[in-house]
Coordinates of all heavy atoms in Angstrom, one line a residue:
L1 N 0.9 -1.1 0.0 CA 0.0 0.0 0.0 C 0.8 1.3 0.0 O 1.9 1.3 0.6 CB -1.0 0.1 1.2 CG -2.0 -0.9 1.3 CD1 -2.7 -0.9 2.7 CD2 -3.0 -0.8 0.2
D2 N 0.4 2.2 -0.7 CA 1.1 3.6 -0.8 C 0.5 4.4 0.3 O -0.8 4.8 0.2 CB 0.9 4.2 -2.1 CG 1.6 5.5 -2.3 OD1 2.1 6.0 -1.3 OD2 1.5 6.1 -3.4
S3 N 1.2 4.8 1.3 CA 0.6 5.4 2.4 C 0.2 6.8 2.1 O -0.5 7.6 2.8 CB 1.6 5.5 3.6 OG 2.7 6.2 3.3
K4 N 0.7 7.4 1.0 CA 0.3 8.7 0.5 C -0.9 8.7 -0.3 O -1.5 9.8 -0.7 CB 1.4 9.4 -0.3 CG 2.7 9.6 0.6 CD 3.5 10.6 0.0 CE 4.9 10.7 0.7 NZ 4.9 10.9 2.1
K5 N -1.4 7.5 -0.7 CA -2.6 7.4 -1.5 C -3.4 6.1 -1.2 O -3.3 5.0 -1.8 CB -2.2 7.3 -3.1 CG -3.3 7.4 -4.0 CD -2.7 7.5 -5.4 CE -3.8 7.5 -6.4 NZ -3.2 7.5 -7.8
L6 N -4.1 6.2 -0.1 CA -4.8 5.0 0.5 C -6.3 5.0 -0.1 O -6.9 6.0 -0.3 CB -4.9 5.1 1.9 CG -3.6 5.0 2.7 CD1 -3.8 5.2 4.2 CD2 -2.9 3.6 2.5
K7 N -6.8 3.8 -0.4 CA -8.1 3.5 -0.9 C -8.8 2.5 0.0 O -8.1 1.5 0.2 CB -8.1 3.1 -2.4 CG -7.7 4.2 -3.3 CD -7.8 3.8 -4.7 CE -7.3 4.8 -5.6 NZ -7.4 4.5 -7.1
E8 N -10.0 2.7 0.4 CA -10.7 1.8 1.1 C -10.8 0.4 0.5 O -10.6 -0.6 1.0 CB -12.2 2.3 1.3 CG -13.1 1.4 2.1 CD -14.4 2.0 2.3 OE1 -14.5 3.0 3.1 OE2 -15.4 1.5 1.8
S9 N -11.0 0.4 -0.9 CA -11.1 -0.8 -1.7 C -9.9 -1.6 -1.6 O -10.0 -2.8 -1.6 CB -11.4 -0.5 -3.1 OG -10.5 0.4 -3.8
E10 N -8.8 -1.0 -1.6 CA -7.4 -1.7 -1.5 C -7.3 -2.4 -0.1 O -6.7 -3.4 -0.1 CB -6.3 -0.7 -1.7 CG -6.1 -0.4 -3.2 CD -5.0 0.6 -3.4 OE1 -4.4 1.1 -2.4 OE2 -4.7 0.9 -4.6
L11 N -7.8 -1.7 0.9 CA -7.8 -2.3 2.2 C -8.5 -3.6 2.3 O -8.1 -4.6 3.0 CB -8.2 -1.4 3.3 CG -7.4 -0.1 3.5 CD1 -8.1 0.9 4.4 CD2 -6.0 -0.3 3.9
F12 N -9.6 -3.7 1.6 CA -10.4 -4.9 1.5 C -9.8 -6.0 0.6 O -9.7 -7.1 0.9 CB -11.9 -4.6 1.1 CG -12.7 -3.8 2.1 CD1 -13.4 -2.7 1.6 CD2 -12.7 -4.2 3.4 CE1 -14.1 -1.9 2.6 CE2 -13.5 -3.5 4.3 CZ -14.2 -2.3 3.9
E13 N -9.3 -5.5 -0.6 CA -8.8 -6.4 -1.6 C -7.5 -7.1 -1.1 O -7.3 -8.3 -1.3 CB -8.4 -5.5 -2.9 CG -9.6 -5.2 -3.7 CD -9.2 -4.1 -4.8 OE1 -8.0 -3.9 -5.1 OE2 -10.2 -3.5 -5.4
K14 N -6.8 -6.4 -0.3 CA -5.5 -7.0 0.2 C -5.8 -7.7 1.6 O -4.8 -8.1 2.2 CB -4.4 -5.9 0.3 CG -4.0 -5.3 -0.9 CD -2.8 -4.4 -0.9 CE -2.4 -3.8 -2.1 NZ -2.0 -4.7 -3.2
K15 N -7.0 -7.8 1.9 CA -7.5 -8.5 3.2 C -6.8 -8.0 4.4 O -6.7 -8.6 5.3 CB -7.2 -10.0 3.0 CG -8.1 -10.6 1.8 CD -8.0 -12.1 1.9 CE -8.7 -12.7 0.6 NZ -9.9 -12.4 0.3
I16 N -6.5 -6.6 4.4 CA -6.1 -6.0 5.6 C -7.3 -5.7 6.5 O -7.1 -5.9 7.7 CB -5.4 -4.6 5.3 CG1 -4.2 -4.9 4.5 CG2 -5.1 -3.8 6.5 CD1 -3.5 -3.7 3.8
L17 N -8.4 -5.5 5.9 CA -9.6 -5.3 6.6 C -10.7 -6.4 6.0 O -10.7 -6.5 4.8 CB -10.2 -3.9 6.7 CG -9.2 -3.0 7.3 CD1 -9.7 -1.5 7.1 CD2 -9.2 -3.2 8.8
N18 N -11.7 -6.8 6.8 CA -12.7 -7.7 6.4 C -13.9 -7.0 5.8 O -14.5 -6.1 6.5 CB -13.1 -8.6 7.5 CG -14.0 -9.7 7.1 OD1 -14.6 -9.7 6.1 ND2 -14.0 -10.7 7.9
K19 N -14.3 -7.2 4.5 CA -15.4 -6.5 3.9 C -16.7 -6.7 4.6 O -17.6 -5.9 4.6 CB -15.5 -6.9 2.4 CG -16.6 -6.3 1.6 CD -16.3 -4.8 1.3 CE -17.4 -4.2 0.4 NZ -17.4 -2.8 0.3
S20 N -16.8 -7.9 5.2 CA -18.1 -8.2 6.0 C -18.5 -7.2 7.1 O -19.6 -7.2 7.5 CB -18.1 -9.7 6.5 OG -17.3 -9.7 7.5
K21 N -17.5 -6.5 7.5 CA -17.8 -5.5 8.5 C -18.4 -4.3 8.0 O -18.9 -3.3 8.8 CB -16.5 -5.1 9.3 CG -15.8 -6.3 9.9 CD -16.5 -6.8 11.0 CE -15.8 -7.9 11.6 NZ -16.6 -8.6 12.7
G22 N -18.5 -4.1 6.7 CA -19.2 -2.9 6.0 C -18.2 -1.9 5.7 O -17.1 -2.1 5.4
K23 N -18.8 -0.7 5.5 CA -18.0 0.4 5.0 C -17.2 1.0 6.2 O -17.5 0.9 7.3 CB -18.9 1.4 4.3 CG -19.6 0.9 3.2 CD -20.5 1.8 2.5 CE -21.2 1.1 1.4 NZ -22.2 1.9 0.7
L24 N -16.1 1.8 5.8 CA -15.2 2.3 6.8 C -15.5 3.8 7.0 O -15.9 4.6 6.2 CB -13.8 2.3 6.3 CG -13.2 0.8 6.0 CD1 -11.8 0.9 5.6 CD2 -13.3 0.0 7.3
K25 N -15.1 4.2 8.2 CA -15.3 5.7 8.6 C -13.9 6.0 9.2 O -13.4 5.3 10.2 CB -16.3 5.9 9.6 CG -16.5 7.4 10.0 CD -17.8 7.6 10.8 CE -17.9 9.1 11.0 NZ -19.1 9.5 11.7
L26 N -13.4 7.1 8.8 CA -12.1 7.7 9.2 C -12.6 8.6 10.6 O -13.4 9.4 10.4 CB -11.4 8.5 8.3 CG -10.1 9.1 8.6 CD1 -9.1 8.1 9.0 CD2 -9.6 10.1 7.6
L27 N -11.9 8.2 11.7 CA -12.3 9.0 12.9 C -11.1 9.8 13.4 O -9.9 9.4 13.1 CB -12.7 8.0 14.0 CG -14.0 7.2 13.7 CD1 -14.2 6.2 14.8 CD2 -15.1 8.1 13.6
N28 N -11.3 10.7 14.2 CA -10.2 11.6 14.8 C -9.6 10.8 16.0 O -9.8 11.3 17.1 CB -10.8 13.0 15.2 CG -9.7 13.9 15.7 OD1 -8.6 13.8 15.4 ND2 -10.1 14.8 16.5
V29 N -9.0 9.8 15.8 CA -8.4 9.0 16.9 C -6.9 8.7 16.5 O -6.7 8.3 15.4 CB -9.1 7.6 17.1 CG1 -8.5 6.8 18.2 CG2 -10.6 7.9 17.4
G30 N -6.1 8.9 17.4 CA -4.7 8.8 17.1 C -4.0 9.9 16.5 O -4.7 10.9 16.3
E31 N -2.8 9.8 16.1 CA -2.0 10.9 15.6 C -1.4 10.4 14.2 O -1.0 9.3 14.1 CB -0.9 11.3 16.4 CG -1.4 12.0 17.8 CD -2.2 13.3 17.6 OE1 -1.9 14.0 16.7 OE2 -3.2 13.4 18.3
I32 N -1.4 11.3 13.3 CA -0.6 11.1 12.0 C 0.4 12.1 12.0 O 0.3 13.2 12.4 CB -1.5 11.0 10.8 CG1 -2.3 12.4 10.6 CG2 -2.6 9.9 10.8 CD1 -3.0 12.5 9.3
Q33 N 1.6 11.7 11.4 CA 2.7 12.7 11.3 C 2.9 13.1 9.8 O 3.5 14.2 9.7 CB 4.0 11.9 11.7 CG 3.9 11.3 13.1 CD 3.6 12.2 14.2 OE1 4.3 13.4 14.2 NE2 2.9 12.0 15.1
D34 N 2.6 12.4 8.8 CA 2.8 12.7 7.5 C 1.4 12.9 6.8 O 0.4 12.3 7.1 CB 3.6 11.6 6.8 CG 5.0 11.4 7.5 OD1 5.7 12.4 7.6 OD2 5.3 10.2 7.7
P35 N 1.5 13.7 5.7 CA 0.2 13.9 4.9 C -0.2 12.6 4.2 O 0.7 11.8 3.7 CB 0.6 14.9 3.9 CG 2.1 15.1 3.9 CD 2.6 14.5 5.2
I36 N -1.5 12.3 4.2 CA -2.0 11.2 3.5 C -3.2 11.6 2.6 O -3.7 12.7 2.9 CB -2.5 10.1 4.4 CG1 -3.7 10.6 5.4 CG2 -1.5 9.5 5.3 CD1 -4.4 9.6 6.1
N37 N -3.4 11.0 1.6 CA -4.6 11.1 0.7 C -5.2 9.8 0.8 O -4.8 8.8 0.5 CB -4.1 11.4 -0.8 CG -3.2 12.7 -0.8 OD1 -3.7 13.8 -0.4 ND2 -2.1 12.6 -1.3
I38 N -6.6 9.9 1.2 CA -7.3 8.7 1.4 C -8.7 8.8 0.7 O -9.3 9.9 0.8 CB -7.4 8.4 2.9 CG1 -8.1 7.0 3.1 CG2 -8.2 9.5 3.7 CD1 -8.0 6.5 4.5
E39 N -9.1 7.7 0.1 CA -10.6 7.6 -0.4 C -11.2 6.7 0.5 O -10.8 5.5 0.7 CB -10.6 7.0 -1.8 CG -9.9 7.9 -2.8 CD -10.0 7.4 -4.2 OE1 -10.8 6.4 -4.4 OE2 -9.3 7.8 -5.1
I40 N -12.4 7.1 1.2 CA -13.0 6.3 2.2 C -14.5 6.6 2.2 O -14.9 7.6 1.7 CB -12.4 6.6 3.6 CG1 -12.8 5.5 4.5 CG2 -12.7 8.0 4.1 CD1 -11.8 5.4 5.7
S41 N -15.4 5.7 2.7 CA -16.8 5.9 2.7 C -17.3 7.1 3.5 O -18.1 7.9 3.1 CB -17.5 4.6 3.2 OG -17.3 3.6 2.2
Y42 N -16.7 7.2 4.7 CA -17.1 8.2 5.6 C -15.9 8.8 6.5 O -14.9 8.1 6.5 CB -18.1 7.6 6.7 CG -19.3 7.0 6.1 CD1 -19.4 5.6 5.9 CD2 -20.4 7.6 5.6 CE1 -20.5 4.9 5.4 CE2 -21.6 7.1 5.1 CZ -21.5 5.7 5.0 OH -22.6 5.0 4.5
A43 N -16.1 10.0 6.9 CA -15.0 10.6 7.7 C -15.6 11.7 8.6 O -16.5 12.4 8.2 CB -13.9 11.2 6.9
S44 N -15.2 11.6 9.9 CA -15.7 12.7 10.8 C -15.0 14.0 10.4 O -14.0 14.2 9.7 CB -15.3 12.4 12.2 OG -13.8 12.6 12.4
K45 N -15.7 15.2 10.8 CA -15.2 16.5 10.4 C -13.9 16.8 11.0 O -12.9 17.3 10.3 CB -16.2 17.6 10.9 CG -17.4 17.6 10.1 CD -18.4 18.7 10.6 CE -19.7 18.7 9.8 NZ -20.6 19.7 10.4
K46 N -13.7 16.3 12.2 CA -12.3 16.5 12.9 C -11.3 15.7 12.2 O -10.0 16.2 12.1 CB -12.5 16.1 14.4 CG -13.3 17.1 15.2 CD -12.7 18.3 15.4 CE -13.5 19.2 16.3 NZ -12.9 20.5 16.5
A47 N -11.6 14.5 11.8 CA -10.6 13.7 11.1 C -10.1 14.3 9.8 O -9.0 14.4 9.4 CB -11.1 12.3 10.8
I48 N -11.1 14.8 9.0 CA -10.8 15.5 7.8 C -9.9 16.8 8.0 O -9.0 17.0 7.4 CB -12.1 16.0 7.0 CG1 -12.8 14.7 6.6 CG2 -11.8 16.9 5.9 CD1 -14.3 14.9 6.1
E49 N -10.3 17.6 9.1 CA -9.5 18.7 9.4 C -8.1 18.3 9.7 O -7.2 19.0 9.3 CB -10.1 19.5 10.6 CG -11.5 20.1 10.3 CD -12.1 20.7 11.6 OE1 -11.6 20.6 12.7 OE2 -13.2 21.1 11.5
K50 N -7.9 17.3 10.5 CA -6.5 16.8 10.9 C -5.7 16.5 9.6 O -4.6 16.8 9.5 CB -6.6 15.7 11.9 CG -5.3 15.2 12.4 CD -5.3 14.0 13.3 CE -5.9 14.4 14.7 NZ -5.8 13.4 15.7
V51 N -6.3 15.7 8.7 CA -5.6 15.3 7.5 C -5.2 16.4 6.6 O -4.1 16.6 6.2 CB -6.5 14.2 6.7 CG1 -5.8 14.0 5.3 CG2 -6.6 12.9 7.5
E52 N -6.2 17.3 6.4 CA -6.0 18.5 5.7 C -5.0 19.5 6.2 O -4.2 20.1 5.6 CB -7.3 19.2 5.3 CG -8.1 18.4 4.4 CD -9.5 19.0 4.1 OE1 -10.0 20.0 4.8 OE2 -10.2 18.5 3.2
K53 N -4.9 19.6 7.6 CA -4.0 20.4 8.2 C -2.5 20.0 7.9 O -1.6 20.9 7.8 CB -4.2 20.4 9.8 CG -3.4 21.3 10.5 CD -3.7 21.3 12.0 CE -2.8 22.3 12.8 NZ -3.2 22.3 14.2
L54 N -2.3 18.7 7.7 CA -1.0 18.2 7.4 C -0.7 18.2 6.0 O 0.4 17.8 5.4 CB -0.9 16.8 8.0 CG -0.7 16.6 9.5 CD1 -0.7 15.1 9.9 CD2 0.6 17.3 9.9
G55 N -1.7 18.7 5.1 CA -1.4 18.8 3.7 C -2.0 17.6 2.9 O -1.8 17.5 1.7
G56 N -2.8 16.8 3.6 CA -3.4 15.6 2.9 C -4.7 15.9 2.4 O -5.2 17.1 2.5
S57 N -5.5 14.9 1.9 CA -6.9 15.1 1.5 C -7.7 13.9 1.8 O -7.1 12.7 1.9 CB -6.9 15.3 0.0 OG -6.6 14.2 -0.7
V58 N -8.9 14.1 2.0 CA -9.9 13.0 2.2 C -11.0 13.1 1.1 O -11.6 14.2 0.9 CB -10.6 13.1 3.5 CG1 -11.6 12.0 3.7 CG2 -9.6 13.0 4.7
K59 N -11.1 12.0 0.3 CA -12.2 11.9 -0.7 C -13.2 11.0 -0.2 O -12.9 9.8 0.0 CB -11.5 11.5 -2.1 CG -12.6 11.4 -3.1 CD -12.0 11.0 -4.5 CE -13.0 10.8 -5.5 NZ -12.5 10.3 -6.8
L60 N -14.5 11.5 0.0 CA -15.5 10.6 0.3 C -16.1 9.9 -0.9 O -16.4 10.5 -1.9 CB -16.6 11.4 1.1 CG -16.1 12.1 2.4 CD1 -17.3 12.9 3.0 CD2 -15.6 11.0 3.3
L61 N -16.3 8.6 -0.8 CA -16.8 7.8 -1.9 C -18.3 8.1 -2.1 O -19.1 8.3 -1.1 CB -16.6 6.4 -1.7 CG -15.1 6.0 -1.6 CD1 -14.9 4.6 -1.1 CD2 -14.4 6.2 -2.8
K62 N -18.8 8.2 -3.3 CA -20.2 8.4 -3.6 C -21.0 7.0 -3.5 O -20.4 6.0 -3.6 CB -20.4 8.9 -5.1 CG -19.5 10.2 -5.3 CD -20.2 11.3 -4.7 CE -19.5 12.6 -4.9 NZ -19.8 13.7 -4.1
G63 N -22.3 7.1 -3.4 CA -23.2 6.0 -3.4 C -23.2 5.2 -2.1 O -23.4 4.0 -2.0
N64 N -23.0 5.9 -1.0 CA -23.0 5.3 0.3 C -24.4 5.2 0.9 O -25.1 6.1 1.0 CB -22.0 5.9 1.2 CG -20.6 5.7 0.8 OD1 -20.3 4.7 0.3 ND2 -19.8 6.8 0.8

């Protein structure tokens, strides 16, 4: 996985996470040090703010 370009679908395809658990939500828990760009089903406002403050981006997937 490229930590600068994460996709929810890749986490399921590579069996890092189990698809049977449903869609993912990025939460404002823990700390990140480097900017990330992530595509995910859901994200909290605070998590989006934290990612963007470091120069990363959060793209929410359509059709949820």
Side-chain angles (χ1 to χ4, degrees):
L1 290 174
D2 180 0
S3 63
K4 298 200 185 309
K5 190 174 178 184
L6 297 172
K7 293 184 179 183
E8 180 178 294
S9 60
E10 289 179 348
L11 297 174
F12 292 132
E13 287 169 10
K14 296 189 184 296
K15 300 193 186 300
I16 294 169
L17 297 170
N18 188 342
K19 180 71 173 170
S20 69
K21 300 292 183 189
K23 297 178 180 176
L24 299 179
K25 182 172 185 177
L26 182 65
L27 299 174
N28 184 30
V29 177
E31 294 297 324
I32 58 173
Q33 305 299 320
D34 299 311
I36 61 169
N37 299 306
I38 186 167
E39 292 181 19
I40 197 159
S41 292
Y42 305 99
S44 71
K45 289 180 184 179
K46 292 288 185 182
I48 293 171
E49 289 172 7
K50 185 182 282 187
V51 169
E52 290 177 345
K53 184 177 181 182
L54 288 173
S57 68
V58 176
K59 179 180 178 185
L60 298 178
L61 301 171
K62 303 287 183 199
N64 296 321

